[in-house]
Amino acid sequence: MSNTIRSKILIIEDDPGICTFLHATLTAEGYDAIVVSKGSGALEIVASHCPDCVLLDLGLPDMDGNEIISGIRRWSVMPIIVISARSMEQDKVQALDLGADDYITKPFGTDELLARIRTALRHRRTASENDEAALRGSYHVGDMVIDYRKHRVCIAGETVHLTPNEYKIVALLGLHAGQVMTYKAILRELWGPSASTDNKILRVHMASIRRKIEPNPNEPRYIFTEVGIGYRMADNED
Ligand code: CA
């Protein structure tokens, strides 16, 4: 990781203990960390600092963190990682559907947090090079290669025979590797805003995809299920 330009991380969190921990951890890791402890005024601070990533607590004393997600998404695609004590699947799905990039449930480990931040920052760079560039290239993880130019997926050099819809699902998850995508987001991306919200169709496709790409479909190596939420493609950590 480059030390020449320090990525700026804005922490929006009211718990003083967690703020101190996050600030110390991120500073030690070479990030420029800024703490905001209230919801009111947070959007203005986000706008004035233009951070590279926002860590956002949903349970703020004066505001629901979801309002901040919606507020940021009106003008920016900057990465937002939700840090929440809310472990209900519905809360996570809501935050992700409003535009959060990822979520971590308290209590969380330092390694997990740092890995999620690295993933978010990497996606920010990809996004700045725009999706078309990503679509011209390929994504490699383990023995799998998604070739976006040829619309092909290979495992250990062998082409996998995916249906067009199966390919679209794998390709989409590959563009968001390391990040959870909700069922709704996947359906919307693939079949438009009026797509059915029935997850069953996705589960059927996923079962078939796994039979084709996973050495052991019961212990997926490439596409993980986030129970009740969606799917996450395995990420390369370097
Ligand atoms: Ca809180």
Side-chain angles (χ1 to χ4, degrees), residues 51-218:
D52 297 292
C53 179
V54 172
L55 299 183
L56 174 68
D57 176 26
L58 289 184
L60 297 166
D62 58 336
M63 198 188 276
D64 186 326
N66 281 317
E67 290 177 43
I68 295 177
I69 300 174
S70 305
I72 294 174
R73 283 293 172 261
R74 274 185 215 116
W75 57 275
S76 173
V77 295
M78 68 177 62
I80 303 172
I81 301 176
V82 163
I83 296 184
S84 178
R86 302 178 192 175
S87 57
M88 297 289 292
E89 286 160 4
Q90 262 175 319
D91 293 323
K92 295 173 184 170
V93 169
Q94 187 186 13
L96 292 165
D97 279 337
L98 282 172
D101 296 274
D102 206 349
Y103 65 84
I104 303 180
T105 306
K106 293 173 186 169
F108 51 83
T110 307
D111 289 345
E112 184 189 8
L113 172 75
L114 294 173
R116 298 293 180 86
I117 291 173
R118 285 194 296 273
T119 297
L121 292 175
R122 202 157 51 238
H123 279 275
R124 175 184 55 95
R125 289 188 197 108
T126 308
S128 70
E129 288 156 15
N130 89 36
D131 283 351
E132 277 183 38
L135 283 166
R136 280 198 295 272
S138 59
Y139 178 67
H140 301 239
V141 61
D143 286 335
M144 182 172 70
V145 178
I146 304 171
D147 186 330
Y148 288 99
R149 213 162 26 84
K150 294 178 181 166
H151 288 245
R152 197 168 66 181
V153 174
C154 295
I155 297 282
E158 297 282 323
T159 299
V160 180
H161 296 285
L162 298 174
T163 67
N165 279 340
E166 289 168 1
Y167 171 76
K168 284 185 196 169
I169 294 168
V170 174
L172 178 67
L173 291 170
L175 284 179
H176 297 266
Q179 297 181 299
V180 64
M181 289 203 76
T182 65
Y183 298 119
K184 187 172 156 191
I186 298 168
L187 291 166
R188 199 175 45 206
E189 287 274 338
L190 297 183
W191 291 291
S194 55
S196 158
T197 51
D198 184 0
N199 305 335
K200 196 165 158 248
I201 185 169
L202 270 184
R203 284 202 291 272
V204 170
H205 283 311
M206 190 55 68
S208 173
I209 290 168
R210 283 188 170 134
R211 278 195 298 275
K212 295 176 182 180
I213 69 168
E214 298 285 357
N216 177 1
N218 295 323

Side-chain angles (χ1 to χ4, degrees), residues 19-39:
C19 284
T20 305
F21 165 76
L22 287 175
H23 189 271
T25 303
L26 295 178
T27 304
E29 202 64 21
Y31 294 112
D32 186 0
I34 304 158
V35 175
V36 178
S37 55
K38 278 195 308 194

